[in-house]
Amino acid sequence: MSHKSIQLAAAIVNRGAGNRAASIFHTYNHEILLAVRGHGTASSAVMDCLGLDEPEKDLVLGLSKKSDAGRLLHALGREMEFYKPGHGIAFTLSLSGISLAAMDILSRHEDQTAPNSHTAEHKEDISMTNSHSYELIASVIHTDLSAPVMEAARKAGCQGGTLIKAREIGTDAGKKLFGMTLSQEKAILLILTPADLRLPILKAICETVMKETGEHAVAISLPVDAVEGLAG
């Protein structure tokens, strides 16, 4: 097994559905790396009409072989009804490298599950569709900028995103008050978008951050191998 045969899979589901998603990850030979809490970015007008707060989300991440990643996406879409709006999305990313320890864990897990993995479903050949037609945009923003940044991203074609709380470390950004360091809360905004909308959305995010703060935005984009739960 080489790093070229390994993929990172991610599923974003409603809060409370993360454990169910994790069980599906395990069924398809994924070692769970991380489960993270986040928030959706439904428009305030929609949420006000429904009388709801921002939808809370679970982000589940796992590593496995490419063949198992394809089956995982198919199973998540079927069992968690990703074909219904708002039930969740999943995607996979190729890796350019992996540590020896992580590779060893995956190899041992493969050896342990091989005798029990010959069910009809595991033999099913699931094609990896939408190859590189989607990209994942990740940007670091101040938490209080989430509304204007998402509004600008939506005008550029974005359908939605997920916010993950974060904080800066190793910088002088913190301010001291009465001897205590105050750090401005940050968030990582994740947006899964068709590749042809990547540049307009990145531009909208960067221009909004510059307008609101006078500073340049930190944003990156990554090619996505396959997606489940997005139309088009």
Side-chain angles (χ1 to χ4, degrees), residues 197-215:
L197 293 177
R198 173 180 59 88
L199 288 178
I201 292 174
L202 278 172
K203 182 179 179 181
I205 291 172
C206 294
E207 289 180 347
T208 301
V209 171
M210 175 61 77
K211 177 182 176 182
E212 297 287 339
T213 68
E215 299 176 354

PDB file of all heavy atoms in Angstrom, residues 197-215:
ATOM      1  N   LEU A 197     -16.649  27.852 -10.014  1.00  0.00           N
ATOM      2  CA  LEU A 197     -17.008  28.965  -9.124  1.00  0.00           C
ATOM      3  C   LEU A 197     -15.906  29.262  -8.105  1.00  0.00           C
ATOM      4  O   LEU A 197     -16.044  30.166  -7.282  1.00  0.00           O
ATOM      5  CB  LEU A 197     -18.303  28.655  -8.384  1.00  0.00           C
ATOM      6  CG  LEU A 197     -19.573  28.568  -9.241  1.00  0.00           C
ATOM      7  CD1 LEU A 197     -20.770  28.180  -8.373  1.00  0.00           C
ATOM      8  CD2 LEU A 197     -19.842  29.897  -9.941  1.00  0.00           C
ATOM      9  N   ARG A 198     -14.816  28.495  -8.147  1.00  0.00           N
ATOM     10  CA  ARG A 198     -13.754  28.654  -7.153  1.00  0.00           C
ATOM     11  C   ARG A 198     -13.179  30.069  -7.136  1.00  0.00           C
ATOM     12  O   ARG A 198     -13.121  30.706  -6.076  1.00  0.00           O
ATOM     13  CB  ARG A 198     -12.634  27.644  -7.421  1.00  0.00           C
ATOM     14  CG  ARG A 198     -11.394  27.848  -6.544  1.00  0.00           C
ATOM     15  CD  ARG A 198     -10.336  26.810  -6.872  1.00  0.00           C
ATOM     16  NE  ARG A 198      -9.923  26.872  -8.275  1.00  0.00           N
ATOM     17  CZ  ARG A 198      -8.942  27.645  -8.728  1.00  0.00           C
ATOM     18  NH1 ARG A 198      -8.285  28.438  -7.900  1.00  0.00           N
ATOM     19  NH2 ARG A 198      -8.613  27.631 -10.013  1.00  0.00           N
ATOM     20  N   LEU A 199     -12.760  30.557  -8.277  1.00  0.00           N
ATOM     21  CA  LEU A 199     -12.133  31.878  -8.319  1.00  0.00           C
ATOM     22  C   LEU A 199     -13.089  32.995  -7.915  1.00  0.00           C
ATOM     23  O   LEU A 199     -12.709  33.874  -7.125  1.00  0.00           O
ATOM     24  CB  LEU A 199     -11.535  32.133  -9.702  1.00  0.00           C
ATOM     25  CG  LEU A 199     -10.269  31.330 -10.031  1.00  0.00           C
ATOM     26  CD1 LEU A 199      -9.792  31.638 -11.450  1.00  0.00           C
ATOM     27  CD2 LEU A 199      -9.166  31.647  -9.031  1.00  0.00           C
ATOM     28  N   PRO A 200     -14.337  33.038  -8.430  1.00  0.00           N
ATOM     29  CA  PRO A 200     -15.255  34.095  -7.987  1.00  0.00           C
ATOM     30  C   PRO A 200     -15.509  34.077  -6.481  1.00  0.00           C
ATOM     31  O   PRO A 200     -15.581  35.134  -5.849  1.00  0.00           O
ATOM     32  CB  PRO A 200     -16.538  33.795  -8.773  1.00  0.00           C
ATOM     33  CG  PRO A 200     -16.087  33.045  -9.976  1.00  0.00           C
ATOM     34  CD  PRO A 200     -14.921  32.237  -9.523  1.00  0.00           C
ATOM     35  N   ILE A 201     -15.630  32.877  -5.898  1.00  0.00           N
ATOM     36  CA  ILE A 201     -15.893  32.788  -4.462  1.00  0.00           C
ATOM     37  C   ILE A 201     -14.662  33.211  -3.663  1.00  0.00           C
ATOM     38  O   ILE A 201     -14.764  33.957  -2.679  1.00  0.00           O
ATOM     39  CB  ILE A 201     -16.336  31.364  -4.078  1.00  0.00           C
ATOM     40  CG1 ILE A 201     -17.716  31.077  -4.676  1.00  0.00           C
ATOM     41  CG2 ILE A 201     -16.375  31.197  -2.566  1.00  0.00           C
ATOM     42  CD1 ILE A 201     -18.187  29.652  -4.483  1.00  0.00           C
ATOM     43  N   LEU A 202     -13.477  32.746  -4.064  1.00  0.00           N
ATOM     44  CA  LEU A 202     -12.254  33.170  -3.394  1.00  0.00           C
ATOM     45  C   LEU A 202     -12.086  34.685  -3.454  1.00  0.00           C
ATOM     46  O   LEU A 202     -11.731  35.326  -2.456  1.00  0.00           O
ATOM     47  CB  LEU A 202     -11.036  32.491  -4.029  1.00  0.00           C
ATOM     48  CG  LEU A 202     -10.709  31.071  -3.581  1.00  0.00           C
ATOM     49  CD1 LEU A 202      -9.606  30.489  -4.461  1.00  0.00           C
ATOM     50  CD2 LEU A 202     -10.286  31.036  -2.117  1.00  0.00           C
ATOM     51  N   LYS A 203     -12.365  35.250  -4.616  1.00  0.00           N
ATOM     52  CA  LYS A 203     -12.251  36.700  -4.783  1.00  0.00           C
ATOM     53  C   LYS A 203     -13.234  37.426  -3.883  1.00  0.00           C
ATOM     54  O   LYS A 203     -12.880  38.424  -3.228  1.00  0.00           O
ATOM     55  CB  LYS A 203     -12.497  37.081  -6.246  1.00  0.00           C
ATOM     56  CG  LYS A 203     -12.348  38.575  -6.523  1.00  0.00           C
ATOM     57  CD  LYS A 203     -12.580  38.891  -7.998  1.00  0.00           C
ATOM     58  CE  LYS A 203     -12.450  40.386  -8.249  1.00  0.00           C
ATOM     59  NZ  LYS A 203     -12.698  40.710  -9.696  1.00  0.00           N
ATOM     60  N   ALA A 204     -14.466  36.917  -3.800  1.00  0.00           N
ATOM     61  CA  ALA A 204     -15.484  37.548  -2.958  1.00  0.00           C
ATOM     62  C   ALA A 204     -15.077  37.502  -1.487  1.00  0.00           C
ATOM     63  O   ALA A 204     -15.256  38.487  -0.749  1.00  0.00           O
ATOM     64  CB  ALA A 204     -16.828  36.849  -3.158  1.00  0.00           C
ATOM     65  N   ILE A 205     -14.540  36.372  -1.040  1.00  0.00           N
ATOM     66  CA  ILE A 205     -14.100  36.239   0.355  1.00  0.00           C
ATOM     67  C   ILE A 205     -12.974  37.224   0.661  1.00  0.00           C
ATOM     68  O   ILE A 205     -13.013  37.971   1.649  1.00  0.00           O
ATOM     69  CB  ILE A 205     -13.639  34.799   0.640  1.00  0.00           C
ATOM     70  CG1 ILE A 205     -14.833  33.845   0.607  1.00  0.00           C
ATOM     71  CG2 ILE A 205     -12.924  34.720   1.991  1.00  0.00           C
ATOM     72  CD1 ILE A 205     -14.448  32.375   0.688  1.00  0.00           C
ATOM     73  N   CYS A 206     -11.968  37.246  -0.202  1.00  0.00           N
ATOM     74  CA  CYS A 206     -10.802  38.102   0.030  1.00  0.00           C
ATOM     75  C   CYS A 206     -11.168  39.588   0.002  1.00  0.00           C
ATOM     76  O   CYS A 206     -10.696  40.376   0.838  1.00  0.00           O
ATOM     77  CB  CYS A 206      -9.716  37.809  -0.999  1.00  0.00           C
ATOM     78  SG  CYS A 206      -9.008  36.154  -0.848  1.00  0.00           S
ATOM     79  N   GLU A 207     -12.004  39.970  -0.945  1.00  0.00           N
ATOM     80  CA  GLU A 207     -12.409  41.376  -1.028  1.00  0.00           C
ATOM     81  C   GLU A 207     -13.233  41.798   0.181  1.00  0.00           C
ATOM     82  O   GLU A 207     -13.098  42.929   0.679  1.00  0.00           O
ATOM     83  CB  GLU A 207     -13.202  41.617  -2.319  1.00  0.00           C
ATOM     84  CG  GLU A 207     -12.340  41.568  -3.574  1.00  0.00           C
ATOM     85  CD  GLU A 207     -13.155  41.817  -4.833  1.00  0.00           C
ATOM     86  OE1 GLU A 207     -14.405  41.780  -4.753  1.00  0.00           O
ATOM     87  OE2 GLU A 207     -12.540  42.049  -5.897  1.00  0.00           O
ATOM     88  N   THR A 208     -14.075  40.897   0.682  1.00  0.00           N
ATOM     89  CA  THR A 208     -14.907  41.228   1.844  1.00  0.00           C
ATOM     90  C   THR A 208     -14.047  41.385   3.091  1.00  0.00           C
ATOM     91  O   THR A 208     -14.248  42.310   3.893  1.00  0.00           O
ATOM     92  CB  THR A 208     -15.966  40.143   2.080  1.00  0.00           C
ATOM     93  OG1 THR A 208     -16.779  40.029   0.912  1.00  0.00           O
ATOM     94  CG2 THR A 208     -16.846  40.492   3.277  1.00  0.00           C
ATOM     95  N   VAL A 209     -13.097  40.468   3.299  1.00  0.00           N
ATOM     96  CA  VAL A 209     -12.206  40.568   4.462  1.00  0.00           C
ATOM     97  C   VAL A 209     -11.391  41.851   4.402  1.00  0.00           C
ATOM     98  O   VAL A 209     -11.225  42.555   5.414  1.00  0.00           O
ATOM     99  CB  VAL A 209     -11.278  39.339   4.535  1.00  0.00           C
ATOM    100  CG1 VAL A 209     -10.210  39.536   5.612  1.00  0.00           C
ATOM    101  CG2 VAL A 209     -12.086  38.089   4.824  1.00  0.00           C
ATOM    102  N   MET A 210     -10.887  42.200   3.224  1.00  0.00           N
ATOM    103  CA  MET A 210     -10.119  43.435   3.069  1.00  0.00           C
ATOM    104  C   MET A 210     -10.985  44.662   3.370  1.00  0.00           C
ATOM    105  O   MET A 210     -10.559  45.601   4.071  1.00  0.00           O
ATOM    106  CB  MET A 210      -9.555  43.521   1.657  1.00  0.00           C
ATOM    107  CG  MET A 210      -8.842  44.838   1.342  1.00  0.00           C
ATOM    108  SD  MET A 210      -7.410  45.163   2.410  1.00  0.00           S
ATOM    109  CE  MET A 210      -6.205  44.048   1.677  1.00  0.00           C
ATOM    110  N   LYS A 211     -12.217  44.650   2.884  1.00  0.00           N
ATOM    111  CA  LYS A 211     -13.128  45.773   3.102  1.00  0.00           C
ATOM    112  C   LYS A 211     -13.466  45.930   4.573  1.00  0.00           C
ATOM    113  O   LYS A 211     -13.532  47.051   5.104  1.00  0.00           O
ATOM    114  CB  LYS A 211     -14.413  45.554   2.293  1.00  0.00           C
ATOM    115  CG  LYS A 211     -15.471  46.629   2.509  1.00  0.00           C
ATOM    116  CD  LYS A 211     -16.724  46.313   1.722  1.00  0.00           C
ATOM    117  CE  LYS A 211     -17.819  47.335   2.002  1.00  0.00           C
ATOM    118  NZ  LYS A 211     -19.062  46.999   1.265  1.00  0.00           N
ATOM    119  N   GLU A 212     -13.682  44.821   5.266  1.00  0.00           N
ATOM    120  CA  GLU A 212     -14.116  44.871   6.656  1.00  0.00           C
ATOM    121  C   GLU A 212     -12.970  45.102   7.638  1.00  0.00           C
ATOM    122  O   GLU A 212     -13.169  45.682   8.707  1.00  0.00           O
ATOM    123  CB  GLU A 212     -14.838  43.562   7.024  1.00  0.00           C
ATOM    124  CG  GLU A 212     -16.112  43.296   6.238  1.00  0.00           C
ATOM    125  CD  GLU A 212     -17.257  44.200   6.672  1.00  0.00           C
ATOM    126  OE1 GLU A 212     -17.199  44.721   7.802  1.00  0.00           O
ATOM    127  OE2 GLU A 212     -18.197  44.372   5.882  1.00  0.00           O
ATOM    128  N   THR A 213     -11.769  44.613   7.315  1.00  0.00           N
ATOM    129  CA  THR A 213     -10.665  44.664   8.282  1.00  0.00           C
ATOM    130  C   THR A 213      -9.445  45.426   7.798  1.00  0.00           C
ATOM    131  O   THR A 213      -8.573  45.775   8.603  1.00  0.00           O
ATOM    132  CB  THR A 213     -10.212  43.231   8.638  1.00  0.00           C
ATOM    133  OG1 THR A 213      -9.594  42.630   7.488  1.00  0.00           O
ATOM    134  CG2 THR A 213     -11.393  42.384   9.084  1.00  0.00           C
ATOM    135  N   GLY A 214      -9.337  45.647   6.492  1.00  0.00           N
ATOM    136  CA  GLY A 214      -8.137  46.271   5.961  1.00  0.00           C
ATOM    137  C   GLY A 214      -6.972  45.305   5.859  1.00  0.00           C
ATOM    138  O   GLY A 214      -5.841  45.706   5.573  1.00  0.00           O
ATOM    139  N   GLU A 215      -7.243  44.007   6.078  1.00  0.00           N
ATOM    140  CA  GLU A 215      -6.203  42.997   6.025  1.00  0.00           C
ATOM    141  C   GLU A 215      -6.486  41.991   4.915  1.00  0.00           C
ATOM    142  O   GLU A 215      -7.633  41.807   4.503  1.00  0.00           O
ATOM    143  CB  GLU A 215      -6.118  42.246   7.364  1.00  0.00           C
ATOM    144  CG  GLU A 215      -5.778  43.136   8.547  1.00  0.00           C
ATOM    145  CD  GLU A 215      -5.810  42.374   9.859  1.00  0.00           C
ATOM    146  OE1 GLU A 215      -6.206  41.178   9.829  1.00  0.00           O
ATOM    147  OE2 GLU A 215      -5.458  42.950  10.900  1.00  0.00           O
TER     148      GLU A 215
END
